[in-house]
Amino acid sequence: MKLDREEVLRLAALNKLGMTEEDVSVFSRQLSDILEGFEILNQVDTTGISPTAQPNSLFNVMRADIIAPSMPPSEVLANAPLRNGEFFRIHAVLE
Amino acid sequence: MTHLEQLTIHEVHKLLKSKQVSSVELTKAVIARIHAVDPKIRAFVTVTEELALQQAMQADKRIADGDCRPLTGIPAVMKDLLCTKGIRTTCSSKMLENFVSPYNATVIEKLYAEGMVLIGKANMDECAMGSSTENSAFFATHNPWDLMRIPGGSSGGAAAAVAASEGFYALGSDTGGSIRQPASYCSITGLKPTYGRVSRYGLIALASSLDQIGPMTRDVEDAAIVMNAISGYDDRDSTSVSYEVTDYTKALGKNIKGMRLGIPREYFADGIQPEVASTIKTAIVALEELGAHVDWNVSLPSSPYAPAVYYVISTAEASANLARYDGIRYGFSYQAANSMWEALEKTRQFGFGTEVKRRIMLGTYVLSAGCYDTYYLKAQKVRTLIRQEFESAFEKYDALITPTSFNLPFKLGEKTDDLMASYFYDVCTIPVNIAGIPAISIPAGFVDGLPVGLQIIAKPFAEEKLLRIAHAYEQATGWQQYQPPL
């Protein structure tokens, strides 16, 4: 599978990952190589085999909704790069 | 002569309990050792010197009150992706360079309850992506056995610290071999528990269906002691399992007569260094001499596909896990932007290293419309086959024996250019994570002064069997006693 420039830019946009032109060309080549490596999986016959999402046998783990104290706002906000009182501050979403 | 800081947990515990040494003395000895050797090794991102001395004083009070548990007062090292309240947790990434955890991981809480002294946070490959610790955004760590070589990874700082006596034990995390491979390269013991045995709450996630926390220690008894402290169900990790936790030290000191061991031939395939293969074969003969029945002709035909399965599944999960880094709530934040979207894109562009970006891109691709069936679903199906082959093998064998790595530790900088090769190094360790089963790596000798690790694999929740076999081998051979020439 060849990953062209447009496809790399589409993935970068999906990831909200800024990229230089050089990044785009390097990733286009490297990701294509890696995807080619993945083709080895086509050698395995998986007819009738069900997928494994995680290895232990747990299924739909449920718990009671127990009310407990949350972390205080001062601790939640302690690592915020920008804050305004008890809020996280971000750039304007709408102009 | 063996120095204080070079002893094992169980040796130093006896000294603490009998009050021949205090936790403060022990902690000072370790700090002095870090000052002496860490400029050469660079195992630590953060050394928590003052905090450690305070904790040591508290531990000494506790011991004076007659409460000296197996880990009380003993300095430990944590891989820098385990959240430690009030202390920096960086994941060796620029993204989290100044992140101070607001809470403790469950394993940290459990160790504090036992009286741990936290000596520092260890270097790693950024976001646990890599096998050499060269992918750290800060600096590379050096192997204590040969400073020109890598310590392995991603828990390379943790392994190097334990090998160089800069802490009595460490906790690492293992997604595709990140505890076992550096343990092998640094000649220490590293145990990856069964998926669900140890809570992942507070472990910064790489791949949630593969990650597991485990001990990195100087011998097998120490691994059992640490497992006793960290294992068990946790309602904050819904994938943790309520399977009964037994006293793992009870598995030690037993013989292995009549145990059935299988040697899967795919784990000695082309690409293995001949000296590694012959060292491991010598180790298997030693196990045979201890009374085990060895079947040299076992096959796990789907295991060679495990690295491809791993890089599909782990990158898919990582791409979702790493979506949380937005520069808004915590972590690196690009400020000179004109819009929210630009800030987000630039934050991720400048906050993540190349390997992290590559894997996020790859993971997004294999999950995207039109590719999901070809890559992700296919990998999940091959995952089922790999798991089933292990299940069948464990109907016949108590454990499987393999090398931990095909290679001796590489020289720093030797392999970073060869991307595909580096993705397929971990061919012996990856299948274990794919299947969610436990495995241990223990020292098995040296080739030209470089360590070789032996891997023992068992069925889910059979950690006791791993420890029993590993301990019998270790006591018979004594490889764990060697110290690096620092």
Side-chain angles (χ1 to χ4, degrees), chain B residues 184 279-281 283-284 287 401-404 440-444 452-456 469-470 473:
Chain B
S184 164
T279 304
I280 297 304
K281 282 175 184 160
I284 295 167
L287 289 165
I401 311 292
T402 76
T404 305
I440 193 168
S441 177
I442 54 170
V452 176
L454 176 79
Q455 179 173 242
I456 310 170
I469 298 164
Y473 175 81

Side-chain angles (χ1 to χ4, degrees), chain B residues 124-142:
Chain B
M124 53 185 278
D125 287 297
E126 181 180 2
C127 300
M129 296 180 184
S131 320
S132 71
T133 312
E134 291 172 298
N135 285 343
S136 165
F138 308 138
F139 46 82
T141 297
H142 300 252

Side-chain angles (χ1 to χ4, degrees), chain A residues 1-3 7-20 23-24 26-58 61-63 66 71-72 75-83 88-95, chain B residues 85 98-103 195-196 209 235 238-241 302 304-305 308-309 311-313 317 319 327-331 333-335 337-341 343-346 348-349 352 354 357-358 360-362 364-366 368 375 377-385 387-388 419-420 423-424 433-436:
Chain A
M1 183 67 207
K2 213 78 197 130
L3 225 59
E7 188 66 12
V8 171
L9 287 171
R10 187 183 71 90
L11 292 174
L14 281 172
N15 277 305
K16 297 284 172 277
L17 192 56
M19 230 169 246
T20 62
D23 291 337
V24 174
V26 170
F27 281 141
S28 168
R29 183 168 45 81
Q30 290 177 338
L31 295 176
S32 299
D33 285 352
I34 296 166
L35 290 172
E36 202 182 302
F38 288 168
E39 278 167 22
I40 191 179
L41 293 176
N42 295 328
Q43 296 170 4
V44 188
D45 181 6
T46 51
T47 317
I49 303 291
S50 54
T52 296
Q54 58 104 343
N56 63 23
S57 50
L58 297 172
V61 178
M62 309 296 267
R63 63 168 177 83
I66 300 161
M71 207 179 274
E75 287 181 26
V76 173
L77 288 156
N79 281 288
L82 285 177
R83 55 187 283 193
F88 293 104
R89 209 178 123 201
I90 62 169
H91 281 89
V93 181
L94 302 168
E95 293 303 323
Chain B
K85 188 172 183 172
N98 298 306
F99 173 71
V100 177
S101 319
Y103 61 85
Y195 183 77
S209 82
D235 61 11
S238 60
T239 64
S240 71
V241 175
S302 298
Y305 299 99
V309 170
Y311 280 99
V312 173
I313 291 174
E317 294 182 9
S319 72
I328 293 171
R329 294 159 301 159
Y330 50 81
S333 184
Y334 184 84
Q335 295 295 338
N338 294 313
S339 71
M340 186 192 75
W341 295 118
L344 193 49
E345 285 176 1
K346 292 272 168 64
R348 293 167 66 80
Q349 177 176 358
F352 288 138
T354 306
K357 289 180 193 169
R358 190 158 43 228
I360 292 176
M361 295 280 285
L362 193 59
T364 307
Y365 183 76
V366 300
S368 64
Y375 295 105
L377 193 62
K378 180 75 184 182
Q380 286 189 311
K381 287 178 179 173
V382 181
R383 183 175 192 177
T384 303
L385 289 173
R387 200 169 50 103
Q388 286 173 348
L419 206 61
M420 286 309 289
Y423 280 7
F424 287 82
N433 301 74
I434 298 294

Side-chain angles (χ1 to χ4, degrees), chain B residues 427-486:
Chain B
V427 61
C428 295
T429 48
I430 282 175
V432 168
N433 301 74
I434 298 294
I437 56 183
I440 193 168
S441 177
I442 54 170
F446 297 85
V447 173
D448 297 332
L450 297 174
V452 176
L454 176 79
Q455 179 173 242
I456 310 170
I457 310 169
K459 68 179 183 183
F461 303 103
E463 280 84 353
E464 284 160 294
K465 249 180 208 173
L466 296 180
L467 293 163
R468 176 175 167 184
I469 298 164
H471 192 249
Y473 175 81
E474 173 197 272
Q475 294 303 306
T477 60
W479 291 118
Q480 79 287 4
Q481 293 166 10
Y482 290 77
Q483 301 277 347
L486 283 166

